[in-house]
Amino acid sequence: MTQADFLKAPFPAPTELPPEEFSGPKRFFNRELSWLAFNWRVLEEAENPRVPLLERLRFVSISATNLDEFYTVRVAGLRELALEGHNNPADDGLTPSEQLELINADARKLMERQQTVWNALRVEMEAAAIVIESRDSLKKTDREHLDEMFLSNVFPVLSPLAIDPAHPFPFIPNTGFALALQMQRSSDKRELQALLPIPHQIDRFVALPVEDEVQRFLPLEELLVLYIGDLFPGYKVTGHCAFRVLRDSDLEVEDEAEDLVREFEVALKRRRRGEVIRLKLSTNAPKGLRKMIIDELHVEESEVIEIEGVIGIADLKELVLDNRRDLLWPSYTPRVPERVTDHDGDMFAAIRQKDMLLHHPYETFDMVIRFLQQAAADPDVLAIKQTLYRTSTESPIVEALCEAAEAGKSVTALVELKARFDEAANIRQARRLERAGAHVIYGFINWKTHAKISTVVRREGGKLVTYTHYGTGNYHPITARIYTDLSFFTCDAALGRDATKVFNYVGGYAEPEGLENLAISPHSLKKRLIELMEVEGDNAEAGKPAEIWAKLNSIIEPEIIDALYRASQRGVKINLVIRGICGIRPGIKGLSENIRVKSIVGRFLEHSRIVCYGNGHHLPSRRARVFMSSADWMDRNLNRRVETLVECRNDTVKAQIVSQIMAANLADEAQSWVMAPDGTFTREMPKEGETFFNCHRFFMENPSLSGRGSAGAADVPELTHTED
């Protein structure tokens, strides 16, 4: 289906729902179950024959990692509410206890499917000369190799522990993996229970010597069972099992913390010791060992999941082998924008020429790094301000900020300590910036600062010019290789003033007044979105074209969903590309019959947040109002975080977003799942000889259509809608 075909396609016939439910909880889908549905879509990519074999294995691993995080945060929170007797229903009407029951049932099916998919992939891997051995299949030469490897690389880091009154059960950290052993002493037949915690520092799959060009691996737990005699001399194993724990990983921080950094350091230690909320255990574990583990970890039977297969399936990512390029996605090198090369790499000159939009990962994130590195080295730059929510461990952005501070420039870094699972890394980065002389601020105790903003103040011709970068994604060079995001560079004075007001707000708590081209949460962003939805409704009732296109990770905020329902009821045509959580019910007669929802799951993780309003014209249109944002349409983003919504008014930038990026996402077939009124997602697979449009491939193969930061006004492609 081409873009034009998609735009002309009629909305599907609506489904009936009793009108009395239009204002009741059934108008929403449950957040947690919707997230699980997304993770099912991730796992199903592992079964997609159009995806290279080892990339399919990566999808299995990702689905497992996702599920672990979901349990340690979302399920842990629901569990605590249920245990404390809180039964207030969510927006969809389900209580915490009801949600837990549905989540656990669906998650168990998902974990069973992960094992099924892994077993199928393992067969394909063997055909592709990648073999997972068992301890029973090892040859003499393998044992000789393992003898040396075990003694030199594994034995020194193991801590085998007997379990008896003198040796209490040890602490097993979150995602900790261990072997439980039932043994008998050869001399007197004395029984012993023991534990062998497995450090994260050891690879889960041990490489064996290559044989006839076949790469072979042995699971670590198989290796350990082989060498139990070295760990417990004089004992023989009479039974064993493996287990893995997940703990409550949500953080609690005191509202009146005097030192936010110190409070987070303490909270991180508490997280490590959170309650066990899920225990995965080998199926057919000896009864004595099973009881000991459950009793010592204080888990209920309902929180125990017996696994026949690989425990800790997230570790399969180790088998995504870099040396098997034939089984991975074809390599791809992001492009350097033409306008930057035209100016010999000078980012300031390129931005001065015209506002510049980059579409990552198709255009390299290195331009964002270069922007800050150039600022650090430029003697005419006086000040740099930067938000840091997540970034890489060895961050070139932090390095540039430190260099700038050490050179005497005024550097302000807003480091968000509450970025989940990156808290410790962000504390380290903050300490490093402070040592370099940067002014580090941490924002609000109760609100996360999730906005993505950089400003550089430069002296030019006797006046100060502010160069500003607004992004939809984190300042993280590694994730920028696989996340689709937008980077907007400008030296527009109004946008620079708006960014400065946001920094002043987070650092000084004074709510910004008079924002010229920016809306921020938790104050004006949601209001702006809803006001523009109402305008589209007015256009529809006046007989004008009325359309909304939006692309987000998640939509669950009830006021936003109700505003979309009202717009649909007034005749606005709404197309949503929602990768993950979706609480809206599309295609309900009288409620949402003008709303379509699709999800794209593919090679790159769709992460950019975009919304386009027709403004009285059919989309795509030069007259549309086009916005990019750091915020998903969720309660946390709109009501409890500092986020940005930037209107793009430059014609070139608008055309890139609405008639290239959004239109290609809406036209995608190859990676798209379409949402039904009952919340299920379906994907059409191409018939033999049929080719589906793939938006990721399209952007990789079409440099002139990929968020072309170097485009001039004459390069704006002709819009395809003939009525505008």
Side-chain angles (χ1 to χ4, degrees):
M1 179 186 291
T2 66
Q3 170 191 324
D5 291 335
F6 178 84
L7 294 173
K8 294 175 183 176
F11 278 64
T15 295
E16 298 279 352
L17 184 72
E20 59 268 23
E21 295 293 349
F22 288 6
S23 59
K26 288 187 179 179
R27 73 189 190 279
F28 301 124
F29 288 123
N30 179 263
R31 170 190 169 135
E32 319 305 343
L33 298 179
S34 181
W35 183 91
L36 278 170
F38 159 67
N39 210 36
W40 274 102
R41 296 195 293 279
V42 172
L43 179 59
E44 290 196 36
E45 275 300 280
E47 300 177 90
N48 185 347
R50 294 172 295 168
V51 174
L53 176 58
L54 293 185
E55 301 293 354
R56 288 155 60 193
L57 183 66
R58 196 195 306 272
F59 275 115
V60 178
S61 173
I62 291 171
S63 75
T65 302
N66 287 348
L67 192 61
D68 284 348
E69 183 174 331
F70 176 68
Y71 261 81
T72 59
V73 178
R74 298 298 306 177
V75 175
L78 287 171
R79 177 179 178 272
E80 185 173 351
L81 288 173
L83 290 174
E84 292 178 355
H86 294 289
N87 279 312
N88 293 333
D91 292 322
D92 61 283
L94 294 174
T95 66
S97 297
E98 290 169 335
Q99 292 181 69
L100 285 172
E101 185 175 348
L102 293 169
I103 288 167
N104 287 328
D106 196 30
R108 285 176 183 271
K109 293 177 183 176
L110 181 65
M111 287 182 274
E112 290 174 5
R113 182 69 162 270
Q114 288 171 340
Q115 297 293 335
T116 300
V117 174
W118 158 238
N119 289 332
L121 291 177
R122 183 172 176 172
V123 172
E124 290 190 54
M125 290 168 65
E126 288 181 1
I130 303 172
V131 174
I132 311 302
E133 302 281 10
S134 69
R135 63 182 184 277
D136 297 328
S137 66
L138 296 176
K139 302 177 178 62
K140 182 180 179 181
T141 53
D142 294 329
R143 290 298 302 266
E144 292 170 353
H145 167 79
L146 291 173
D147 286 345
E148 181 179 351
M149 191 281 299
F150 176 79
L151 288 175
S152 59
N153 297 333
V154 178
F155 180 77
V157 296
L158 295 177
S159 297
L161 302 165
I163 305 299
D164 59 26
H167 301 84
F169 195 92
F171 175 77
I172 306 296
N174 184 40
T175 71
F177 182 54
L179 288 181
L181 305 166
Q182 189 171 284
M183 297 185 295
Q184 189 178 75
R185 190 157 60 186
S186 302
S187 60
D188 58 6
K189 309 301 181 185
R190 179 189 172 190
E191 299 288 337
L192 176 69
Q193 288 183 330
L195 210 63
L196 185 58
I198 302 173
H200 284 297
Q201 293 80 4
I202 307 177
D203 288 343
R204 180 67 185 278
F205 294 93
V206 178
L208 294 168
V210 175
E211 188 175 86
D212 297 327
E213 298 186 353
V214 175
Q215 290 183 263
R216 301 181 303 133
F217 297 88
L218 181 71
L220 180 60
E221 55 269 36
E222 293 278 280
L223 173 74
L224 296 177
V225 172
L226 277 177
Y227 290 93
I228 289 299
D230 293 78
L231 299 168
F232 294 93
Y235 285 85
K236 69 175 183 177
V237 177
T238 58
H240 72 278
C241 66
F243 68 95
R244 184 173 184 264
V245 302
L246 289 183
R247 293 182 178 272
D248 182 343
S249 293
D250 214 1
L251 281 178
E252 292 184 9
V253 178
E254 296 295 332
D255 290 346
E256 301 300 325
E258 293 182 9
D259 185 331
L260 196 56
V261 175
R262 187 171 300 164
E263 178 67 21
F264 265 91
E265 289 173 332
V266 173
L268 286 170
K269 294 175 183 177
R270 290 201 302 268
R271 168 191 280 172
R272 185 175 177 271
R273 302 197 66 85
E275 288 186 17
V276 176
I277 59 168
R278 194 177 75 186
L279 169 65
K280 282 189 175 181
L281 189 66
S282 303
T283 191
N284 298 323
K287 290 182 179 180
L289 289 180
R290 188 181 191 279
K291 183 178 186 306
M292 175 193 71
I293 295 166
I294 291 173
D295 289 348
E296 294 289 349
L297 293 176
H298 308 293
V299 295
E300 302 292 332
E301 278 291 343
S302 61
E303 296 166 334
V304 178
I305 298 168
E306 295 192 356
I307 298 294
E308 186 173 0
V310 175
I311 293 178
I313 210 163
D315 294 335
L316 292 177
K317 63 180 179 289
E318 291 183 15
L319 297 174
V320 181
L321 307 175
D322 290 337
N323 68 340
R324 291 301 304 269
R325 297 301 316 173
D326 56 316
L327 303 178
L328 299 171
W329 295 116
S331 59
Y332 176 71
T333 303
R335 292 178 292 275
V336 176
E338 292 175 16
R339 197 192 315 170
V340 177
T341 57
D342 289 346
H343 288 87
D344 298 322
D346 186 337
M347 289 294 293
F348 299 138
I351 297 166
R352 274 197 304 273
Q353 180 184 330
K354 196 172 188 178
D355 289 352
M356 184 166 65
L357 184 83
L358 304 185
H359 190 194
H360 310 303
Y362 313 107
E363 291 174 302
T364 178
F365 187 79
D366 288 350
M367 297 302 98
V368 179
I369 298 171
R370 180 179 296 184
F371 174 66
L372 292 163
Q373 289 175 334
Q374 186 177 336
D378 189 337
D380 290 324
V381 168
L382 305 181
I384 304 171
K385 296 182 180 181
Q386 172 79 48
T387 63
L388 291 171
Y389 186 75
R390 298 188 197 279
T391 189
S392 54
T393 303
E394 301 297 327
S395 171
I397 289 176
V398 173
E399 186 72 35
L401 295 175
C402 290
E403 179 186 336
E406 289 166 352
K409 303 182 192 303
S410 173
V411 176
T412 301
L414 194 162
V415 179
E416 181 48 74
L417 297 182
K418 295 180 286 297
R420 184 172 284 129
F421 300 121
D422 277 335
E423 299 95 342
N426 285 2
I427 289 172
R428 288 193 297 272
Q429 301 287 27
R431 299 293 196 203
R432 182 182 175 198
L433 285 161
E434 287 177 331
R435 287 195 298 271
H439 177 49
V440 178
I441 56 179
Y442 301 108
F444 303 95
I445 293 176
N446 295 323
W447 299 340
K448 290 183 182 180
T449 301
H450 192 250
K452 326 295 183 185
I453 312 174
S454 300
T455 63
V456 172
V457 180
R458 190 171 187 267
R459 184 185 291 111
E460 295 180 1
K463 64 177 183 178
L464 299 183
V465 177
T466 299
Y467 292 83
T468 308
H469 171 266
Y470 290 98
T472 64
N474 297 310
Y475 290 98
H476 198 306
I478 296 173
T479 59
R481 299 171 193 165
I482 55 173
Y483 287 21
T484 72
D485 272 306
L486 300 182
S487 277
F488 178 48
F489 293 94
T490 183
C491 59
D492 178 90
L495 284 164
R497 287 191 293 270
D498 284 348
T500 300
K501 288 177 181 178
V502 173
F503 279 106
N504 292 345
Y505 171 47
V506 179
Y509 300 126
E511 184 176 337
E513 295 181 354
L515 291 174
E516 299 166 70
N517 202 39
L518 193 68
I520 64 169
S521 62
H523 302 294
S524 57
L525 198 159
K526 180 169 70 172
K527 181 181 177 183
R528 175 75 57 83
L529 292 172
I530 292 175
E531 285 174 347
L532 291 168
M533 292 174 194
E534 298 295 340
V535 169
E536 289 303 307
D538 294 341
N539 289 335
E541 291 182 349
K544 298 178 183 178
E547 299 183 34
I548 298 171
W549 289 357
K551 177 181 178 295
L552 304 156
N553 297 314
S554 302
I555 174 171
I556 201 72
E557 211 277 342
E559 290 184 57
I560 287 285
I561 293 177
D562 282 338
L564 289 169
Y565 286 153
R566 289 195 300 272
S568 171
Q569 290 165 336
R570 298 175 73 187
V572 182
K573 301 294 184 183
I574 301 168
N575 285 291
L576 304 175
V577 183
I578 311 296
R579 172 174 56 86
I581 300 167
C582 184
I584 199 166
R585 294 192 65 173
I588 302 294
K589 187 174 182 179
L591 178 69
S592 59
E593 59 198 78
N594 290 313
I595 299 177
R596 289 189 290 200
V597 177
K598 67 187 297 188
S599 171
I600 293 177
V601 179
R603 174 172 181 169
F604 301 117
L605 184 140
E606 290 295 336
H607 193 254
S608 54
R609 291 94 166 187
I610 299 168
V611 59
C612 310
Y613 298 92
N615 195 29
H617 302 273
H618 285 292
L619 291 172
S621 167
R622 295 182 190 276
R623 298 175 182 84
R625 296 192 69 177
V626 179
F627 300 81
M628 54 179 278
S629 181
S630 63
D632 287 306
W633 293 356
M634 305 177 74
D635 174 64
R636 68 184 188 189
N637 300 88
L638 301 180
N639 303 316
R640 292 181 284 110
R641 286 187 177 184
V642 178
E643 305 268 17
T644 59
L645 177 75
V646 185
E647 183 166 9
C648 301
R649 295 181 175 175
N650 176 283
D651 285 342
T652 303
V653 171
K654 284 170 61 174
Q656 289 170 223
I657 293 175
V658 68
S659 63
Q660 296 171 9
I661 297 170
M662 280 302 301
N665 274 267
L666 290 170
D668 179 89
E669 301 165 289
Q671 306 168 123
S672 292
W673 298 76
V674 178
M675 188 181 189
D678 64 358
T680 58
F681 282 83
T682 57
R683 175 176 60 182
E684 184 180 353
M685 299 295 283
K687 300 179 179 64
E688 187 174 351
E690 189 177 16
T691 301
F692 276 3
F693 178 74
N694 182 315
C695 68
H696 291 172
R697 186 180 303 125
F698 172 75
F699 288 126
M700 287 191 289
E701 295 175 354
N702 291 274
S704 63
L705 296 174
S706 65
R708 187 175 177 183
S710 58
D715 297 308
V716 179
E718 198 63 36
L719 299 175
T720 57
H721 204 295
T722 57
E723 297 180 32
D724 190 20

